[in-house]
């Protein structure tokens, strides 16, 4: 995200500033670079739940291989920007209407998460005289090594996917149902993994599982979807997932295993986090029980990620010099501050005890890495404050 863009915006904005700023050129360059480093046998999809705004989808559809969606609403959002971009469709609770909608909108692959879902899909596809192309979503028995991630969806009891022990029956059933075309496996087992070597070990494990089942059932998969889950380092923004090293490792892995299928990566956070920031003006500064607090125009109703993940979200201070009140300006120098929003709940905290060189009422905080799971996971109308200004630049 370009600094200049943020400072130009803030210079032109009246007080109190509160906004999401998104840089589409940055998103375009980033997505091209990420996709360009992958081996040709790998496809990069974007999981749109991270940020499904039309300008984001419109930028990414030209630069990636397709979109991952998890509801009929998301299918419709993708189809509103384009009628032929490849879509893969996941989610544990797909309704009949959603399965029907997926077939109607020519979704490329449906990720099936249970036996009942598979039978319903077969039944609906039969009624429509259509074949459904399917990946079975696997919940693996175990994940290799000690994979460090913020959330786990597989390798343990969760609502996601099909237990590894039940896969043989599910593969057999997929082959027997007349309107199902089994095209491979889908495995999305974790979120926010920061370690490229760990992630490579995960992909190796998935490759081995897929090839073992191909041999055992005498089938040929067309696809292995290895999920998303590549992380963003919020604690230390200068040190991020080693994408180029990961891609080099993938090249070597594909040389070694020579799979007959293509691989999909369906990343959300890793693609769009860095294209957006959340900016909020400091309305007040005070000290209670010995701790300093900065109160923002804004907060977790716009940007729920830090309270949801209970992390300190990285920010920088943008100085604003104008001060129009005829009394002194509250401020801190070289002090720790806890940054809170305008809501009437102590959960509305975006960062705790962070050192600042100087912070004054009227300055703005710029929270970086807010382009994914920011606005889109937040409870916008709790307390009925005005929404932030949301701007897309360089479209
Ligand atoms: C949310 C989700 C993703 C994207 O996850 P990120 O952690 O943002 O990369 C990919 N696949 C599935 C099935 C998901 O639910």
């Amino acid at each position: 995200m370009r600094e200049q863009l943020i400072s130009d915006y803030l210079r032109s904005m009246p007080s109190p500033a509160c906004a999401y700023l998104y840089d589409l050129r940055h998103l375009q360059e980033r997505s091209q670079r990420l996709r360009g480093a992958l081996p040709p046998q790998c496809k990069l999809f974007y999981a749109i739940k991270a940020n499904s705004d039309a300008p984001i989808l419109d930028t990414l559809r030209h630069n990636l291989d397709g979109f991952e969606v998890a509801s009929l609403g998301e299918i419709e959002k993708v189809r509103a920007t384009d009628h032929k971009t490849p879509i893969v469709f996941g989610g544990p609770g797909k309704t009949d209407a959603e399965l029907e909608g997926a077939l109607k909108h020519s979704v490329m692959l449906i990720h099936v998460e249970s036996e009942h879902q598979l039978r319903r899909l077969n039944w609906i596809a039969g009624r429509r005289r259509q074949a459904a192309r399917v990946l079975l979503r696997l919940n693996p028995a175990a994940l290799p090594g000690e994979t460090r991630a913020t959330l786990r969806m597989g390798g343990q009891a969760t609502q996601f996917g099909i237990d590894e022990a039940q896969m043989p029956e599910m593969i057999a059933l997929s082959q027997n149902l007349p309107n199902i075309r089994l095209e491979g496996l889908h495995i999305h087992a974790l979120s926010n993994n920061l370690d490229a070597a760990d992630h490579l070990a995960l992909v190796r494990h998935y490759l081995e599982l897929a090839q073992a089942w191909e041999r055992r059932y005498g089938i040929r998969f067309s696809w292995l979807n290895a999920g998303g889950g590549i992380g963003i380092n919020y604690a230390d923004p200068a040190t991020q997932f080693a994408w180029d090293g990961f891609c080099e490792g993938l090249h070597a892995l594909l040389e070694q295993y020579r799979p007959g299928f293509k691989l999909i990566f369906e990343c959300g956070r890793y693609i769009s986090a860095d294209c957006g920031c959340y900016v909020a003006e400091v309305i007040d500064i005070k000290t209670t029980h010995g701790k300093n607090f900065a109160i923002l125009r804004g907060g977790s109703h716009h940007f729920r990620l830090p309270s949801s993940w209970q992390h300190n979200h990285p920010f920088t201070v943008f100085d604003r010099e104008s001060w129009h009140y005829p009394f002194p300006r509250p401020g801190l120098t070289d002090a720790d501050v806890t940054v809170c929003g305008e809501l009437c709940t102590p959960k509305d905290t975006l960062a705790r005890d962070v050192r600042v060189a100087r912070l004054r009422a009227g300055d703005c905080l710029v929270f970086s890495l807010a382009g994914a799971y920011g606005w889109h996971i937040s409870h916008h109308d709790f307390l009925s404050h005005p929404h932030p200004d949301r701007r897309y630049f360089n479209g």
Side-chain angles (χ1 to χ4, degrees), residues 21 35-36 50 52 69 85 121 129 155 195 197-198 210 216 238 260 277 307-308 312 315 356 394:
L21 309 180
R35 182 179 182 228
S52 57
V69 303
T85 304
L121 178 58
R129 299 179 192 290
D195 189 297
D198 280 356
R216 185 151 147 213
C277 68
S307 54
S308 165
N312 277 355
F315 64 83
V356 286
N394 300 322

Side-chain angles (χ1 to χ4, degrees), residues 292-306:
N292 301 318
F293 292 88
I295 320 293
L296 303 177
R297 153 68 190 119
S300 61
H301 50 327
H302 303 161
F303 187 41
R304 194 168 73 90
L305 179 63

Side-chain angles (χ1 to χ4, degrees), residues 47 49-50 68 70 90-91 111 113 137 153 186 188 190-192 227-230 266-270 373:
K49 74 171 185 283
E68 189 267 351
H111 300 154
E113 304 230 7
R137 179 168 184 182
M153 281 70 77
H186 170 237
H188 173 68
L190 48 81
S191 190
N192 212 41
I230 291 173
E266 44 175 24
C267 298
R269 185 183 312 274
Y270 195 63
Y373 305 112

Side-chain angles (χ1 to χ4, degrees), residues 72 75-76 79 83 87 100-107 128:
L72 183 54
I75 292 175
E76 287 166 350
R79 285 293 176 249
H83 66 280
I87 297 177
E100 178 117 33
L103 293 168
K104 186 175 125 218
H105 287 289
S106 309
V107 161
R128 293 178 57 86

